[in-house]
Amino acid sequence: MDLRPVTLGADEATKQYYQDLVAQHGSPLLVYDPFVLKQQYKALHATLPNVALYYAVKAHPDSHIVNTIDELGGGFDIASAGEMDVLLQHQISGRRTIHTHPVKKDKEIRDALRFGATTFVVDNLDEIKKLLPYRSRVGVLLRISFRSKSAAVDLSKKFGCTPEEAITLALDAAKLDIHIKGLSFHVGSQCLNSDKHVEAIAACHELITTINTQVESPLSVLDIGGGFPADYANTGIDIEQFCAPIKAALAKLPNDWHLIAEPGRYLIAPAVISITTVTGKSMRNGFRWYYLDDGVYGSYSGQIFDHATYPLQVLKDGDCHASIVAGPTCDSIDVIAENIQLPELEIGDLLIGHQMGAYTAATKTRFNSIPEAKLVVNDSTPTT
Ligand SMILES: *Cc1c(COP(=O)(O)O)cnc(C)c1O
């Protein structure tokens, strides 16, 4: 049984809105609402006013989204030359970015430097040494690993050194005359609560204090990463409540430290919806199967790579039946929902996926050479 929230029906204006979008742009679509991204950004900024926000471009590298973050005056967390290219299209300066990939080719470092990025992240001595030729131009963050059981996506398994290693690395870097300016961590994406952030902030406070007694140029930057959650369960996430313990933990740090966060999911997830169309139906083994024009190889790829389940909506209500909604490819894993209760749908009916801005289109494939969903911008909501 699939436990995700499913909404049945919509008011006339909403139905008309979805139908007009498909009439105008075709199907499948991803509809991006800049107003929602601005609301999310402002809410996070209001609750953590002393933390500089760097949007994690990998969550959704679309140009319109980058443009909104640019308008908001936000920074960008980038990890590849391709992500730099998106920013270059908008003439966004590399000075507003941090390069957070702990493992880089030399060319990547040179491209990032030419782009204007000066902050790089490392978690081992080999990576520190790669920065030797550029040491006068870089400020480095050491990434620390704090494993989290409660996060949906563990981002401390593959990268990050232990707190003990951090001390050794900071001293090694100092010997090489490479400037470690602070520490960073990512406790995992889609955290259920902020316990891990709080624990990591306290541990980094202690580490920086220890390191600073042993190096000439003290560390004064703390990057608390991402992990701020999206509301996939429709329970209503109060970001102020989620961040209150983080805010309290940060308040204990020396007030001249520079604080950074790299939110991706929280900012962009609710700002994009997916619209797909029922292209076929069948009755198999007691289940009503509906075949859609988008699926897990496309906009719903986050169900595979990101372990997310998105709230769904159909535009009609009525008697419900056990139903399966599947994507357009010929592969059996291309199923969006295995067993949900839906009213009888007809070919041409629309299915809406909510909270679909983060790690959705970003991981889409072109499997079966099926066309990807077109991203359109909803500019009907006020944008200020
Ligand atoms: C993916 C990633 C982020 C964004 O994480 P969210 O949980 O989406 O906020 C931030 N920083 C780094 C280094 C990442 O890899």
Side-chain angles (χ1 to χ4, degrees):
M1 185 73 190
D2 189 312
L3 295 173
R4 83 183 75 208
V6 177
T7 305
L8 305 183
D11 60 51
E12 282 310 315
T14 306
K15 276 185 210 169
Q16 196 62 50
Y17 167 68
Y18 293 139
Q19 281 156 1
D20 287 351
L21 280 169
V22 170
Q24 195 185 343
H25 302 285
S27 172
L29 295 175
L30 286 171
V31 186
Y32 163 53
D33 189 336
F35 180 70
V36 177
L37 172 54
K38 288 180 185 182
Q39 278 182 321
Q40 295 296 101
Y41 185 95
K42 286 175 187 169
L44 188 58
H45 180 61
T47 176
L48 296 174
N50 301 323
V51 180
L53 302 181
Y54 287 75
Y55 169 61
V57 174
K58 84 166 184 292
H60 201 148
D62 180 78
S63 176
H64 300 94
I65 294 165
V66 163
N67 192 40
T68 308
I69 299 287
D70 184 24
E71 278 174 40
L72 288 161
F76 298 88
D77 159 5
I78 55 169
S80 74
E83 291 178 355
M84 273 180 247
D85 287 343
V86 184
L87 305 192
L88 275 170
Q89 286 164 22
H90 291 276
Q91 278 104 45
I92 293 165
S93 160
R95 295 188 193 292
R96 286 170 59 189
T97 69
I98 48 179
H99 192 294
T100 61
H101 204 307
V103 180
K104 298 161 286 296
K105 291 181 178 173
D106 182 58
K107 181 167 188 318
E108 178 78 28
I109 300 170
R110 281 186 280 122
D111 286 348
L113 284 168
R114 193 171 324 111
F115 175 52
T118 56
T119 300
F120 291 88
V121 172
V122 299
D123 65 4
N124 66 65
L125 190 56
D126 282 311
E127 284 297 315
I128 291 176
K129 285 179 181 163
K130 285 184 192 170
L131 295 169
L132 264 174
Y134 318 109
R135 67 182 163 207
S136 61
R137 300 156 68 190
V138 299
V140 181
L141 301 176
L142 277 181
R143 177 151 163 186
I144 321 290
S145 162
F146 297 102
R147 300 294 295 271
S148 169
K149 284 197 185 74
S150 82
V153 183
D154 186 347
L155 289 171
S156 278
K157 174 182 173 187
K158 182 168 168 183
F159 298 120
C161 62
T162 65
E164 299 74 45
E165 287 164 345
I167 299 177
T168 314
L169 286 171
L171 300 181
D172 288 344
K175 272 182 225 144
L176 294 168
D177 205 15
I178 286 177
H179 181 218
I180 305 290
K181 61 179 182 178
L183 302 183
S184 80
F185 59 79
H186 197 307
V187 292
S189 203
Q190 186 66 8
C191 295
L192 297 179
N193 59 55
S194 50
D195 293 356
K196 266 287 158 189
H197 286 91
V198 169
E199 194 186 312
I201 291 165
C204 286
H205 186 190
E206 218 182 291
L207 266 176
I208 293 181
T209 310
T210 307
I211 294 168
N212 283 355
T213 60
Q214 301 175 53
V215 294
E216 255 171 60
S217 35
L219 281 58
S220 61
V221 178
L222 182 61
D223 177 347
I224 65 170
F228 309 95
D231 191 11
Y232 297 122
N234 267 359
T235 47
I237 283 175
D238 182 342
I239 196 64
E240 210 178 319
Q241 204 179 332
F242 181 91
C243 287
I246 296 179
K247 197 173 171 174
L250 293 174
K252 294 181 190 154
L253 307 179
N255 55 22
D256 59 343
W257 284 13
H258 180 56
L259 304 174
I260 291 174
E262 305 160 351
R265 184 189 305 280
Y266 171 78
L267 294 182
I268 196 59
V272 178
I273 60 161
S274 143
I275 306 181
T276 61
T277 304
V278 176
T279 56
K281 52 189 282 191
S282 115
M283 185 75 190
R284 304 175 63 234
N285 298 323
F287 282 96
R288 283 166 166 78
W289 281 74
Y290 298 106
Y291 303 93
L292 306 169
D293 55 6
D294 202 352
V296 304
Y297 284 94
S299 303
Y300 284 83
S301 60
Q303 293 200 176
I304 307 286
F305 294 117
D306 188 42
H307 318 289
T309 43
Y310 310 103
L312 301 177
Q313 179 181 18
V314 292
L315 303 184
K316 46 174 70 156
D317 48 21
D319 289 348
C320 284
H321 314 277
S323 305
I324 297 177
V325 289
T329 70
C330 301
D331 186 1
S332 295
I333 73 157
D334 191 5
V335 169
I336 294 170
E338 278 288 350
N339 184 1
I340 53 173
Q341 291 290 319
L342 290 180
E344 182 80 29
L345 300 181
E346 300 303 334
I347 291 169
D349 282 352
L350 304 182
L351 180 122
I352 316 300
H354 291 275
Q355 301 282 342
M356 287 193 59
Y359 310 112
T360 53
T363 48
K364 70 183 172 224
T365 74
R366 293 297 309 271
F367 182 52
N368 257 182
S369 302
I370 287 165
E372 60 194 48
K374 178 176 167 190
L375 186 133
V376 297
V377 180
N378 166 21
D379 34 31
S380 62
T381 17
T383 51
T384 49

